[in-house]
Amino acid sequence: MKVLLRAATIYSPQSSFHLQQQNILIDKGIITYIGADEPEADKVVAKDGLCVSGGWIDMHAYVGEPGHEYKEDIQSIAAAASKGGFTEVLCLPNTSPVVQTKGAVNYLKSHSAYLPVTLHPIAAVTVDTDGKDLTEMIDLHQAGAIAFSDGIKPIQAADIILKALQYVQLFDGLLMNKPENTRLTEHGQMHEGITSTQLGMKGIPSLAEEVAVTRDLQLLAYAGGKMHFSLVSTAATIEAIRKAKAQGLNVTCDVASYQVSFVDVSIAPFDTNYKVAPPFRSQTDADAIKQGLADGTIDALVSAHQPHDTEAKKLEFDLADFGIINLETAFAVANTAFADVLATEQLVDKFVSGPRFILGHKVPVIEVGEAANLTLFQPNQVWIPTEAETVSKGKNSPFFGKELKGRVVGTIHKGQVVLH
């Protein structure tokens, strides 16, 4: 099928058409024409303010299959990802069983092979993600694991981090870790501060993240390798990573696109749709995140998509699970929250080039002859997400009913055109 994107503004820094408004023809998954003429096509996409970039990639999403399909399965996460503009998604290893065997890696790859979204398996660092014994990392890499992490479980043991950093160097692999000292966050419910005290809830101190980052950076300096911090959230963490980069350490990091949408004093009290990990922190931390994105300290934005069933969220706040769904809203949430510090070009880069730089992948280029791995979007379109319209199995979002700016039109990937 021939698809024509009419008068689309191109966001592709490596392309000679970057920031130009052109007509683009895609035929059988290949870009065959870019220019002012309007060739014949089977389908024409024409939208006010239409923009196109390389396909967005999400580095942090949870798919329940296998074992927890009632939260999210492969089909539903692909649908949510495509609706959110993502053509590729890195899936956390915290399934049942854990992604720690060649079979588990191949399961995700084979079951998503014909979907319009490529699902990349992240393999576990430790057996059953219990933080004790290393998995067969070399075999998992050869099977197709894109990176290594214990996912939602922060790795606590220094010797495990050290050994993992040494192992991944054998194949130029990437070690990812969510920085958190769990002994300091035990029973914590929200950011530790005046608001947590006023609400009578045990706080999650910034220190828990900061001491973990400091330790891991010391281990990285000692062992070498590539370290990526998932879901950073505090000012001191960002400053530590900024200094480590200046010193030449091979370290990268990401932040949830929703992290500055709220701060601890602005969340709806006891509403479990605002319960995330790391928590919504202070205004000082939010400002530091914005600065970190603007100056390049923070390399990527992620959805941190964590779907839950009703029984896991409609509980007392201290009993409810952490996490919200965000694949469908990740771009709009970020575009709304970071409009004061990031131009559209910079924001898109955090979804396109940033993640691929971390992973060592080729960035899709919008040029004639290139395979079409594209995201179509309208950065100025205002809309309101609703529970009724979400395609994720999870309905746990604080953004339902809230006005957001920036809407996805569709994706083109693997020869498949998905329009919304």
Side-chain angles (χ1 to χ4, degrees):
M1 182 174 73
K2 293 183 179 181
V3 179
L4 179 69
L5 310 181
R6 180 186 291 161
T9 300
I10 296 171
Y11 288 90
S12 179
Q14 298 84 5
S15 169
S16 58
F17 298 99
H18 181 50
L19 300 182
Q20 296 181 26
Q21 190 177 80
Q22 301 284 356
N23 295 325
I24 305 171
L25 184 69
I26 296 101
D27 185 10
K28 298 176 183 176
I30 302 296
I31 300 171
T32 57
Y33 175 81
I34 301 176
D37 295 335
E38 192 168 315
E40 290 186 5
D42 303 304
K43 175 72 176 178
V44 176
V45 180
K47 297 275 188 179
D48 290 338
L50 178 65
C51 297
V52 59
S53 72
W56 300 344
I57 180 169
D58 182 30
M59 292 188 65
H60 192 101
Y62 176 79
V63 55
E65 186 175 351
H68 303 289
E69 289 89 348
Y70 60 93
K71 290 180 180 284
E72 199 82 281
D73 59 34
I74 288 173
Q75 293 285 338
S76 65
I77 197 172
S82 182
K83 190 173 180 181
F86 294 100
T87 60
E88 301 178 58
V89 175
L90 273 64
C91 297
L92 300 176
N94 310 97
T95 49
S96 182
V98 169
V99 180
Q100 59 189 13
T101 65
K102 291 181 180 180
V105 170
N106 290 326
Y107 180 89
L108 184 63
K109 292 175 64 180
S110 62
H111 281 69
S112 63
Y114 300 103
L115 296 174
V117 177
T118 299
L119 302 181
H120 298 289
I122 300 174
V125 176
T126 65
V127 176
D128 296 329
T129 63
D130 64 4
K132 296 179 181 178
D133 300 313
L134 289 177
T135 57
E136 298 292 339
M137 299 174 75
I138 296 175
D139 288 347
L140 290 166
H141 165 72
Q142 292 174 343
I146 197 169
F148 293 87
S149 170
D150 276 357
I152 60 175
K153 293 186 178 181
I155 301 172
Q156 298 301 296
D159 64 315
I160 293 295
I161 293 286
L162 181 63
K163 291 173 184 175
L165 283 169
Q166 292 170 333
Y167 267 103
V168 295
Q169 290 178 65
L170 298 174
F171 47 84
D172 194 30
L174 178 67
L175 177 65
M176 305 168 66
N177 192 26
K178 179 184 174 187
E180 177 189 336
N181 184 312
T182 56
R183 295 299 294 272
L184 297 177
T185 62
E186 194 170 7
H187 306 305
Q189 302 298 317
M190 63 175 293
H191 175 64
E192 182 182 83
I194 294 174
T195 303
S196 65
T197 303
Q198 291 173 334
L199 294 175
M201 288 197 284
K202 188 175 189 306
I204 298 174
S206 299
L207 182 67
E209 178 175 303
E210 294 154 9
V211 297
V213 166
T214 300
R215 181 205 68 175
D216 286 359
L217 287 174
Q218 291 176 327
L219 293 170
L220 179 63
Y222 176 81
K226 291 193 293 188
M227 167 72 80
H228 178 80
F229 291 112
S230 301
L231 309 184
V232 299
S233 68
T234 80
T237 289
I238 294 164
E239 181 58 25
I241 294 171
R242 183 180 288 117
K243 290 179 178 178
K245 286 187 172 188
Q247 294 167 2
L249 292 186
N250 198 344
V251 58
T252 54
C253 66
D254 65 55
V255 67
S257 77
Y258 58 69
Q259 192 64 47
V260 307
S261 296
F262 308 97
V263 292
D264 60 333
V265 298
S266 70
I267 64 173
F270 306 111
D271 185 338
T272 60
N273 283 325
Y274 293 84
K275 186 176 182 181
V276 293
F280 294 113
R281 296 201 181 271
S282 70
Q283 188 60 54
T284 299
D285 295 314
D287 292 341
I289 288 171
K290 290 183 177 182
Q291 180 59 41
L293 283 165
D295 67 19
T297 301
I298 299 173
D299 303 270
L301 286 163
V302 299
S303 74
H305 182 75
Q306 186 77 24
H308 289 299
D309 56 312
T310 301
E311 287 76 10
K313 275 293 187 180
K314 289 202 173 181
L315 299 166
E316 293 86 345
F317 197 92
D318 61 325
L319 298 177
D321 287 350
F322 289 93
I324 61 176
I325 59 169
N326 191 42
L327 267 173
E328 296 165 70
T329 53
F331 170 73
V333 165
N335 191 48
T336 303
F338 299 117
D340 57 335
V341 291
L342 295 179
T344 301
E345 179 182 359
Q346 295 171 296
L347 181 68
V348 168
D349 187 72
K350 301 296 182 183
F351 288 109
V352 181
S353 300
R356 290 181 171 90
F357 167 78
I358 296 165
L359 297 166
H361 287 191
K362 181 180 181 291
V363 177
V365 180
I366 301 178
E367 288 280 7
V368 173
E370 293 284 341
N373 182 352
L374 307 174
T375 298
L376 319 178
F377 61 102
Q378 297 168 285
N380 296 317
Q381 183 71 28
V382 174
W383 65 294
I384 298 174
T386 65
E387 181 176 336
E389 293 178 342
T390 187
V391 296
S392 170
K393 285 189 173 183
K395 310 301 177 187
N396 47 309
S397 172
F399 297 106
F400 290 148
K402 290 184 169 60
E403 188 174 275
L404 300 175
K405 185 178 180 181
R407 190 157 200 178
V408 171
V409 174
T411 59
I412 303 175
H413 183 46
K414 296 194 287 191
Q416 300 185 54
V417 180
V418 181
L419 300 175
H420 307 292

